[in-house]
Amino acid sequence: MNLLLFSLFREKKRRRVVELTEKMVVDGGSGHACEWEGRWNHIKKFLERSGPFTHPDFEPSTESLSFMLETCKILVIGAGGLGCELLKDLALSGIRNIHVVDMDTIDVSNLNRQFLFRPKDVGRPKADVAADFINSRIPGCCVVPHFKKIQDLDETFYRQFHIIVCGLDSVVARRWMNGMLLSLLVYEDGVLDPGSIIPLIDGGTEGFKGNARVIFPGMTACIDCTLELYPPQINFPMCTIASMPRLPEHCIEYVWMLLWPKESPFGAGVALDGDDPEHIQWVYQRSLERAAEFNITGVTYRLSQGEQILWMCVTFFSVLLFPAACATEVFKIASSAYMPLNNYMVFNDIDSLYTYTFEAERKENCSACSQIPMDLHFAPSSKLQDVLDYLTTSASLQMKSPAITATVEGKNKTLYLQSVASIEQRTRPNLSKTLKELGLTGGQELAVADVTTPQTMLFRLCFTS
């Protein structure tokens, strides 16, 4: 499969290189500026000679380096802990035309690991500061910032890139980006046009775990195909934390959320800093006391570093390993010199070092990429609320605020829409009605829109007896 995908992408690149070279104008400067002898020797060693690990069809030449320097256009989503490293790694690997999208501004807590930022930058947009830093430190590189949400950019914007790299901490944003790239695919007589494929490289870390993956939209497993790997975020009820703790996490949350503001151990108005060892030691000791009071075991110093703030300490894999892995995959795909990751790598550093690579398989009935409606099995007596609950709680869907429409008696009918208050109030009574009462029949299609994807997903209603 990878041989086929790589060949298709390389052919796509060859077809577009002349056109893009003629049309592309690097914003803000010339891509030929500030060259010196031997600058790209480290890259040439990979691109201008063969080796035992190169792609079977790779032909050493100077064209690959020229493509990477002058034509290849990369989009980085996120300018946080992963994004900062990604921008640096890509720029030093010969990628000059880079855009970065991030909607956040710089906070003091970012400074310990997001190395492109300084104290004077606090309050400024991450994308702007990161772009300025890279552009000023790496001659000839042009990073174009976009201080906005990914949802604010249209298809024309995303279609201009050869590869998109995600360094996000949001599953919803990942799914939306996945949906956008799927919506850009072109099918001719049911056959996917490889020229419309934009590879997606995704990296992520949580605590002392991480992953990197390579996705060829429409051909390999997409984000939604493996949605079960992204479990819904767990939030502990305040009543449980305050009065009925059962887990070590409950005890730690009690100290973080309730005890710290009440006791102000380091002075009034001093915020709990997850990067301050003295603060964490205090949290750890008080969490142990809370756990002993309720006969709970399992509170550790590492766990005390923050359950909601989740591991603000700097770890080598979160700021080095996974951005480097993602940048390496960009290099392999952009140069066509090496086989890309096939297609999912995981890393775990909780008790010891563990890493594993496997091929995530495409789901035949994936609601995002399968091109066929997904079956929903409900009895005619089931209520619309049951359908809504399934869409939001199913591990394979995990929707946030689905809007459901259907064609009833030849007319398009909104069954429920939550995002607009007036329509939500008008359609709310439908939630208590049965599917039969709403005029729905077996085999009927339901169109569902959600914030997790820019596409409207189709489901087929299958009535059960």
Side-chain angles (χ1 to χ4, degrees), residues 371-421:
Q371 299 292 306
I372 58 174
M374 183 176 178
D375 290 342
L376 292 177
H377 297 274
F378 287 94
S381 59
S382 299
K383 293 180 169 55
L384 185 63
Q385 181 69 60
D386 298 328
V387 177
L388 188 73
D389 292 342
Y390 176 78
L391 295 175
T392 55
T393 60
S394 169
S396 61
L397 295 174
Q398 298 185 33
M399 295 187 181
K400 301 301 179 182
S401 55
I404 307 173
T405 61
T407 301
V408 180
E409 296 179 353
K411 296 182 179 180
N412 190 45
K413 181 179 180 180
T414 299
L415 301 179
Y416 184 70
L417 192 150
Q418 185 176 345
S419 58
V420 180

Side-chain angles (χ1 to χ4, degrees), residues 26-266:
V26 179
D27 300 326
S30 169
H32 298 281
C34 305
E35 292 292 359
W36 58 86
E37 184 178 357
R39 179 178 183 185
W40 303 112
N41 283 350
H42 62 300
I43 302 297
K44 291 180 179 180
K45 291 178 181 178
F46 293 99
L47 303 181
E48 296 182 6
R49 63 183 186 181
S50 189
F53 302 108
T54 55
H55 189 282
D57 298 328
F58 174 66
E59 298 178 0
S61 70
T62 60
E63 294 180 2
S64 293
L65 179 59
S66 176
F67 172 79
M68 291 178 61
L69 293 176
E70 308 300 336
T71 306
C72 190
K73 204 168 188 179
I74 305 297
L75 174 63
V76 175
I77 308 291
L82 271 69
C84 285
E85 286 287 339
L86 272 170
L87 290 169
K88 178 262 294 181
D89 291 345
L90 292 172
L92 293 176
S93 298
I95 304 295
R96 286 171 156 174
N97 304 310
I98 306 172
H99 287 236
V100 58
V101 179
D102 196 295
M103 60 177 285
D104 290 337
T105 56
I106 299 167
D107 185 77
V108 173
S109 64
N110 302 144
L111 301 180
N112 73 326
R113 65 199 182 283
Q114 297 173 22
F115 73 102
L116 300 183
F117 310 143
R118 300 293 182 268
K120 64 181 177 61
D121 300 320
V122 171
R124 292 186 59 198
K126 288 184 177 181
D128 292 350
V129 176
D132 290 345
F133 192 104
I134 296 294
N135 291 338
S136 65
R137 293 293 292 270
I138 303 180
C141 188
C142 180
V143 180
V144 180
H146 302 273
F147 175 46
K148 55 183 63 180
K149 298 178 180 179
I150 57 175
Q151 294 87 347
D152 294 336
L153 298 161
D154 59 16
E155 292 183 359
T156 302
F157 173 80
Y158 290 111
R159 192 176 280 113
Q160 67 182 304
F161 299 102
H162 292 87
I163 304 170
I164 295 178
V165 196
C166 287
L168 295 164
D169 57 4
S170 166
V171 177
V172 172
R174 280 188 175 94
R175 295 179 65 187
W176 191 93
M177 196 68 248
N178 177 71
M180 170 56 73
L181 295 185
L182 289 171
S183 72
L184 298 180
L185 299 177
V186 176
Y187 290 85
E188 299 177 358
D189 298 326
V191 179
L192 176 61
D193 176 10
S196 64
I197 298 175
I198 301 176
L200 174 65
I201 298 172
D202 178 57
T205 63
E206 182 172 342
F208 293 84
K209 304 175 185 178
N211 72 274
R213 64 186 303 184
V214 174
I215 298 170
F216 288 88
M219 299 196 74
T220 62
C222 74
I223 296 290
D224 280 43
C225 285
T226 55
L227 196 56
E228 292 88 348
L229 297 177
Y230 303 98
Q233 183 177 352
I234 298 174
N235 294 305
F236 302 117
M238 185 59 69
C239 59
T240 299
I241 294 173
S243 58
M244 297 179 294
R246 299 184 301 275
L247 301 172
E249 290 87 350
H250 295 162
C251 302
I252 295 168
E253 282 298 292
Y254 175 82
V255 177
W256 272 84
M257 299 177 65
L258 300 177
L259 212 56
W260 180 277
K262 178 182 178 180
E263 297 190 5
S264 300
F266 290 84

Side-chain angles (χ1 to χ4, degrees), residues 320-336:
L320 292 176
L321 175 60
F322 285 98
C326 291
T328 299
E329 296 307 315
V330 172
F331 179 85
K332 290 193 287 187
I333 295 175
S335 67
S336 299

